Amino acid sequence: MTTSKGDHLETEQKYDADADFVLPKFGSLPDLGGRRPADPKRIYLSATYFDTEDFALIQHKITLRRRVGGDDEGWHLKLPVRKDTRQELHAPLDEGDSGSAPARLADQVKDITAGRPLRPVAILDTERTVVTLPGPSGDPLVEVADDLVTAIRFGEPDSEPMRWREIEVEALSPDSGATAMLESVGKVLREAGARPSASGSKLARVLNAG
Protein backbone atom coordinates (compact mmCIF):
# COMPACT_ATOMS: atom_id res chain seq x y z
CA MET A 1 0.00 0.00 0.00
CA THR A 2 1.15 3.55 -0.73
CA THR A 3 1.49 5.36 2.56
CA SER A 4 -0.53 8.49 3.21
CA LYS A 5 0.37 11.68 4.97
CA GLY A 6 -0.05 11.02 8.67
CA ASP A 7 0.83 7.29 8.59
CA HIS A 8 2.86 6.59 11.72
CA LEU A 9 3.48 4.36 14.70
CA GLU A 10 1.20 5.39 17.55
CA THR A 11 2.41 4.81 21.09
CA GLU A 12 -0.12 5.72 23.76
CA GLN A 13 -1.48 4.69 27.13
CA LYS A 14 -5.14 4.90 28.15
CA TYR A 15 -6.65 5.53 31.57
CA ASP A 16 -10.20 5.38 32.91
CA ALA A 17 -11.32 8.37 34.98
CA ASP A 18 -14.41 9.19 37.01
CA ALA A 19 -16.64 12.11 36.02
CA ASP A 20 -15.25 14.27 38.84
CA PHE A 21 -11.59 13.48 38.09
CA VAL A 22 -9.44 16.62 38.03
CA LEU A 23 -6.76 16.56 35.35
CA PRO A 24 -3.36 17.38 36.92
CA LYS A 25 -1.53 20.51 35.73
CA PHE A 26 1.72 18.61 34.90
CA GLY A 27 3.82 21.78 35.23
CA SER A 28 5.91 20.29 38.04
CA LEU A 29 6.99 17.20 36.06
CA PRO A 30 10.81 16.89 36.31
CA ASP A 31 10.84 15.82 32.63
CA LEU A 32 9.73 19.32 31.62
CA GLY A 33 12.80 20.98 33.11
CA GLY A 34 10.82 24.08 33.95
CA ARG A 35 9.15 24.33 30.54
CA ARG A 36 5.43 25.10 30.62
CA PRO A 37 2.72 22.85 29.16
CA ALA A 38 0.67 24.39 26.37
CA ASP A 39 -2.66 25.91 27.31
CA PRO A 40 -5.52 23.37 27.11
CA LYS A 41 -7.35 23.21 23.77
CA ARG A 42 -10.87 21.83 23.36
CA ILE A 43 -11.95 20.05 20.20
CA TYR A 44 -14.98 18.00 19.13
CA LEU A 45 -14.62 14.71 17.26
CA SER A 46 -17.18 12.40 15.66
CA ALA A 47 -15.99 8.96 14.52
CA THR A 48 -17.89 6.22 12.71
CA TYR A 49 -16.29 2.79 13.19
CA PHE A 50 -16.42 0.01 10.62
CA ASP A 51 -16.18 -3.76 11.07
CA THR A 52 -17.67 -6.98 9.74
CA GLU A 53 -21.01 -8.26 11.00
CA ASP A 54 -19.20 -10.65 13.36
CA PHE A 55 -16.63 -8.00 14.45
CA ALA A 56 -13.61 -9.73 12.93
CA LEU A 57 -11.42 -6.60 13.10
CA ILE A 58 -11.87 -5.79 16.77
CA GLN A 59 -11.28 -9.46 17.64
CA HIS A 60 -7.82 -8.95 16.10
CA LYS A 61 -7.39 -5.65 18.00
CA ILE A 62 -7.78 -3.65 14.76
CA THR A 63 -9.93 -0.55 14.37
CA LEU A 64 -11.08 1.28 11.24
CA ARG A 65 -12.85 4.60 11.56
CA ARG A 66 -13.92 7.71 9.67
CA ARG A 67 -13.39 10.71 11.94
CA VAL A 68 -14.49 14.29 11.47
CA GLY A 69 -12.89 17.05 13.53
CA GLY A 70 -9.41 17.72 14.85
CA ASP A 71 -6.11 18.16 13.03
CA ASP A 72 -6.05 14.61 11.62
CA GLU A 73 -9.62 14.10 10.43
CA GLY A 74 -10.01 11.38 7.87
CA TRP A 75 -9.90 7.59 7.77
CA HIS A 76 -7.69 5.82 10.34
CA LEU A 77 -6.80 2.12 10.28
CA LYS A 78 -4.97 1.01 13.44
CA LEU A 79 -3.03 -2.27 13.41
CA PRO A 80 -1.43 -3.75 16.56
CA VAL A 81 2.38 -3.80 16.70
CA ARG A 82 3.26 -4.38 20.36
CA LYS A 83 2.02 -3.34 23.80
CA ASP A 84 0.82 0.29 23.74
CA THR A 85 1.90 0.68 20.08
CA ARG A 86 -0.10 0.48 16.86
CA GLN A 87 0.61 1.21 13.21
CA GLU A 88 -1.80 3.92 12.08
CA LEU A 89 -2.60 4.26 8.38
CA HIS A 90 -4.53 7.27 7.08
CA ALA A 91 -6.71 8.13 4.09
CA PRO A 92 -8.54 11.40 3.31
CA LEU A 93 -12.23 11.75 4.16
CA ASP A 94 -13.20 11.81 0.48
CA GLU A 95 -11.71 8.36 -0.21
CA GLY A 96 -14.80 6.79 1.36
CA ASP A 97 -18.14 7.89 2.72
CA SER A 98 -20.36 7.29 5.72
CA GLY A 99 -21.32 3.86 4.40
CA SER A 100 -18.18 2.45 2.77
CA ALA A 101 -14.49 2.35 3.64
CA PRO A 102 -11.61 3.26 1.27
CA ALA A 103 -10.61 0.25 -0.81
CA ARG A 104 -6.89 0.69 -0.08
CA LEU A 105 -7.48 0.48 3.68
CA ALA A 106 -9.94 -2.40 3.38
CA ASP A 107 -7.30 -4.21 1.33
CA GLN A 108 -4.95 -4.12 4.32
CA VAL A 109 -7.32 -6.34 6.34
CA LYS A 110 -8.72 -8.54 3.56
CA ASP A 111 -7.12 -11.66 5.06
CA ILE A 112 -9.17 -11.04 8.21
CA THR A 113 -12.43 -9.92 6.62
CA ALA A 114 -12.25 -12.80 4.09
CA GLY A 115 -14.75 -11.26 1.70
CA ARG A 116 -17.20 -10.13 4.37
CA PRO A 117 -18.28 -6.51 3.87
CA LEU A 118 -17.19 -3.75 6.22
CA ARG A 119 -20.10 -1.76 7.58
CA PRO A 120 -20.66 0.97 10.20
CA VAL A 121 -20.99 -0.60 13.66
CA ALA A 122 -20.88 2.39 16.03
CA ILE A 123 -20.54 6.16 16.21
CA LEU A 124 -18.54 7.87 18.95
CA ASP A 125 -18.75 11.59 19.69
CA THR A 126 -15.93 12.95 21.83
CA GLU A 127 -15.42 16.26 23.61
CA ARG A 128 -11.63 16.34 23.93
CA THR A 129 -9.45 18.64 26.03
CA VAL A 130 -5.84 18.46 24.84
CA VAL A 131 -2.68 19.49 26.69
CA THR A 132 0.71 19.15 24.98
CA LEU A 133 3.94 18.84 26.94
CA PRO A 134 7.12 20.21 25.33
CA GLY A 135 10.50 18.56 24.98
CA PRO A 136 13.93 20.21 25.39
CA SER A 137 13.64 21.91 21.99
CA GLY A 138 10.24 23.34 22.88
CA ASP A 139 8.46 21.15 20.33
CA PRO A 140 5.48 19.05 21.55
CA LEU A 141 6.73 15.74 22.95
CA VAL A 142 3.67 14.19 24.64
CA GLU A 143 -0.04 14.86 24.23
CA VAL A 144 -2.58 14.35 27.02
CA ALA A 145 -6.19 14.06 25.82
CA ASP A 146 -9.03 14.19 28.36
CA ASP A 147 -12.02 12.63 26.56
CA LEU A 148 -15.73 12.76 27.38
CA VAL A 149 -17.23 10.11 25.09
CA THR A 150 -20.80 9.38 24.00
CA ALA A 151 -21.19 6.21 21.94
CA ILE A 152 -24.07 4.59 20.07
CA ARG A 153 -23.84 1.00 18.83
CA PHE A 154 -25.67 0.38 15.56
CA GLY A 155 -28.05 -2.53 15.15
CA GLU A 156 -29.39 -2.33 18.71
CA PRO A 157 -32.24 0.22 18.58
CA ASP A 158 -33.25 -0.29 22.21
CA SER A 159 -29.79 0.26 23.66
CA GLU A 160 -29.02 3.49 25.51
CA PRO A 161 -26.02 5.63 24.53
CA MET A 162 -22.88 4.80 26.50
CA ARG A 163 -20.98 7.63 28.20
CA TRP A 164 -17.60 7.56 29.87
CA ARG A 165 -14.43 9.53 30.48
CA GLU A 166 -10.92 8.43 29.61
CA ILE A 167 -7.46 9.95 29.40
CA GLU A 168 -5.14 9.16 26.49
CA VAL A 169 -1.43 9.92 26.74
CA GLU A 170 0.41 9.74 23.41
CA ALA A 171 4.09 10.07 22.55
CA LEU A 172 4.48 12.57 19.69
CA SER A 173 8.07 11.55 18.96
CA PRO A 174 9.99 8.25 18.74
CA ASP A 175 12.61 9.88 20.96
CA SER A 176 13.35 8.08 24.23
CA GLY A 177 12.48 11.29 26.06
CA ALA A 178 8.88 10.93 24.91
CA THR A 179 8.72 7.38 26.26
CA ALA A 180 10.11 8.53 29.62
CA MET A 181 7.64 11.40 29.80
CA LEU A 182 4.81 9.01 28.90
CA GLU A 183 5.64 6.99 31.99
CA SER A 184 5.97 10.09 34.19
CA VAL A 185 2.59 11.41 33.09
CA GLY A 186 1.03 8.01 33.72
CA LYS A 187 2.39 7.98 37.25
CA VAL A 188 0.91 11.43 37.94
CA LEU A 189 -2.46 10.38 36.52
CA ARG A 190 -2.56 7.23 38.65
CA GLU A 191 -1.67 9.22 41.76
CA ALA A 192 -4.55 11.60 40.94
CA GLY A 193 -7.02 8.69 40.77
CA ALA A 194 -7.02 7.55 37.14
CA ARG A 195 -6.82 3.82 36.41
CA PRO A 196 -5.23 1.92 33.52
CA SER A 197 -8.00 1.39 30.99
CA ALA A 198 -9.92 -1.86 31.14
CA SER A 199 -10.45 -1.70 27.35
CA GLY A 200 -7.91 -1.76 24.54
CA SER A 201 -9.82 0.85 22.53
CA LYS A 202 -12.95 2.98 22.64
CA LEU A 203 -14.69 0.65 20.19
CA ALA A 204 -13.73 -2.43 22.22
CA ARG A 205 -15.52 -0.86 25.19
CA VAL A 206 -18.65 -0.26 23.13
CA LEU A 207 -18.66 -3.79 21.72
CA ASN A 208 -17.60 -5.41 25.02
CA ALA A 209 -14.65 -6.89 23.18
CA GLY A 210 -11.99 -6.19 25.83
Side-chain angles (χ1 to χ4, degrees):
M1 171 184 158
T2 301
T3 58
S4 170
K5 180 181 178 182
D7 293 351
H8 65 282
L9 281 178
E10 175 191 73
T11 299
E12 69 177 10
Q13 297 176 353
K14 296 175 180 285
Y15 297 86
D16 292 334
D18 295 331
D20 59 355
F21 176 79
V22 177
L23 191 70
K25 299 295 185 183
F26 300 116
S28 61
L29 276 179
D31 310 61
L32 289 177
R35 297 179 296 275
R36 292 186 57 187
D39 291 335
K41 180 174 66 173
R42 183 166 295 178
I43 56 179
Y44 296 88
L45 311 169
S46 183
T48 301
Y49 284 79
F50 286 69
D51 208 329
T52 62
E53 186 173 358
D54 58 352
F55 307 122
L57 295 189
I58 198 65
Q59 290 176 27
H60 287 81
K61 302 186 184 303
I62 294 170
T63 56
L64 173 62
R65 71 186 178 201
R66 183 181 190 270
R67 189 166 77 182
V68 178
D71 295 334
D72 66 342
E73 70 175 7
W75 289 88
H76 307 149
L77 175 65
K78 297 189 179 187
L79 307 167
V81 175
R82 56 183 177 271
K83 184 178 184 296
D84 296 333
T85 300
R86 293 182 290 180
Q87 177 71 40
E88 184 171 325
L89 306 178
H90 285 211
L93 281 176
D94 59 7
E95 278 201 25
D97 56 39
S98 59
S100 61
R104 66 191 185 95
L105 293 186
D107 189 59
Q108 293 292 303
V109 294
K110 64 182 181 181
D111 289 347
I112 293 171
T113 56
R116 291 164 292 183
L118 291 165
R119 61 183 181 85
V121 295
I123 186 167
L124 279 69
D125 293 325
T126 301
E127 179 182 329
R128 169 169 286 182
T129 302
V130 177
V131 177
T132 55
L133 308 179
S137 67
D139 293 332
L141 194 62
V142 165
E143 177 182 276
V144 182
D146 184 357
D147 289 347
L148 299 175
V149 186
T150 301
I152 297 174
R153 179 172 173 175
F154 298 145
E156 296 188 355
D158 296 331
S159 64
E160 293 291 324
M162 294 177 61
R163 295 182 176 87
W164 72 91
R165 185 178 179 189
E166 70 177 46
I167 316 295
E168 294 184 353
V169 187
E170 180 177 355
L172 301 179
S173 165
D175 186 271
S176 60
T179 303
M181 189 180 289
L182 203 70
E183 297 301 326
S184 297
V185 170
K187 182 174 184 291
V188 171
L189 289 172
R190 292 191 297 273
E191 289 173 348
R195 306 169 301 279
S197 179
S199 299
S201 69
K202 288 180 172 66
L203 182 62
R205 186 190 297 263
V206 176
L207 301 180
N208 299 313

